[in-house]
Amino acid sequence: MDLSIPRRHGPISIRLVRTRDARVLQNELLSNRSWLRPWEATSPDGPVSFDMRLGVRRLLQQHRDGLGVPFVMEYDGEVAGQLNVWGIARGSLASATIGYWVSERFAGKGITPTSVALATDVCFDELRLHRMEICIRPENVASLRVVEKLGFRYEGLRRRYIHIDGDWRDHYAFALVREEVPEGVLPRWASGHAPSEAATIPPADRLPA
């Protein structure tokens, strides 16, 4: 299993991040500050380093340790953002969580749902994980559309769950287990069979966007 080899669907692909990606990723992050800041994880202990080279090295070390898979998302061969599979647990849990960001200039091209589908299929088929989770702020309408398109199942509201943009934020949790998508997440979506109603948030959990 070589995750440096791109997994592709049309013009969209994901591959393992490389150290030499650090410069272009940092440029994208810096030029997209207003676009990304509302959704970026922060630290309650104060500002953290914005050294992307160091960040990539840490992500690759986590990958070597079996704790995560840091992907780059590309569109027509151009870096469009990142998708990280993190918190990999083996054994009886066999699960992980997906997080991502995409540059504003690539928004609306289907990059995020396609990349999430590709990554989830890699985790189920190649890493043999059983459950994949995505947690999304109620205000993040674009990300809520991603899980709706792919048929991720709503699992509940997590109060003040992750420190985002300077404070602890509520998140909605969505998940899939391998048995729900025997044909694969990407083929199910591409064939029009993903159940969009699976991501429906019940009225009792709805928060103002």
Side-chain angles (χ1 to χ4, degrees):
M1 176 179 56
D2 185 355
L3 297 180
S4 66
I5 299 173
R7 275 58 173 176
R8 187 179 307 278
H9 181 72
I12 300 164
S13 62
I14 60 171
R15 61 165 172 79
L16 194 67
V17 69
R18 299 185 289 247
T19 304
R20 63 178 178 269
D21 293 320
R23 177 173 292 182
V24 66
L25 288 171
Q26 183 151 327
N27 288 341
E28 290 296 327
L29 286 170
L30 289 172
S31 63
N32 281 266
R33 297 313 302 140
S34 60
W35 168 256
L36 297 173
R37 186 178 289 112
W39 322 116
E40 282 185 344
T42 47
S43 171
D45 299 322
V48 296
S49 170
F50 201 70
D51 182 346
M52 199 63 199
R53 187 175 296 275
L54 176 61
V56 169
R57 285 202 299 266
R58 287 175 173 167
L59 288 171
L60 289 172
Q61 184 60 55
Q62 291 174 4
H63 175 56
R64 288 189 290 271
D65 292 340
L67 302 176
V69 184
F71 288 110
V72 164
M73 300 188 289
E74 294 184 324
Y75 187 84
D76 277 340
E78 189 175 0
V79 172
Q82 280 184 279
L83 184 152
N84 289 322
V85 176
W86 59 275
I88 291 179
R90 292 292 183 177
S92 57
L93 195 54
S95 71
T97 299
I98 289 177
Y100 48 79
W101 62 264
V102 67
S103 295
E104 185 174 14
R105 63 196 177 98
F106 289 103
K109 297 181 181 294
I111 294 169
T112 302
T114 303
S115 297
V116 169
L118 286 166
T120 304
D121 286 341
V122 166
C123 289
F124 284 158
D125 299 337
E126 301 181 47
L127 301 183
R128 305 307 296 167
L129 295 178
H130 178 249
R131 179 180 180 277
M132 299 300 295
E133 179 176 279
I134 298 178
C135 294
I136 300 170
R137 287 186 61 181
E139 301 88 350
N140 195 339
V141 176
S143 276
L144 291 174
R145 283 286 296 133
V146 170
V147 291
E148 181 181 334
K149 287 177 181 178
L150 299 180
F152 273 70
R153 175 176 30 79
Y154 179 69
E155 288 199 330
L157 171 63
R158 296 183 179 177
R159 293 285 187 184
R160 299 180 63 79
Y161 179 55
I162 303 176
H163 203 271
I164 301 284
D165 192 26
D167 201 358
W168 296 102
R169 310 290 183 177
D170 295 337
H171 281 68
Y172 293 137
F174 303 85
L176 280 177
V177 295
R178 193 192 307 164
E179 293 89 344
E180 292 175 283
V181 281
E183 71 273 49
V185 180
L186 183 61
R188 185 177 73 164
W189 176 44
S191 66
H193 293 144
S196 61
E197 69 279 2
T200 299
I201 300 159
D205 285 357
R206 290 189 177 275
L207 297 177

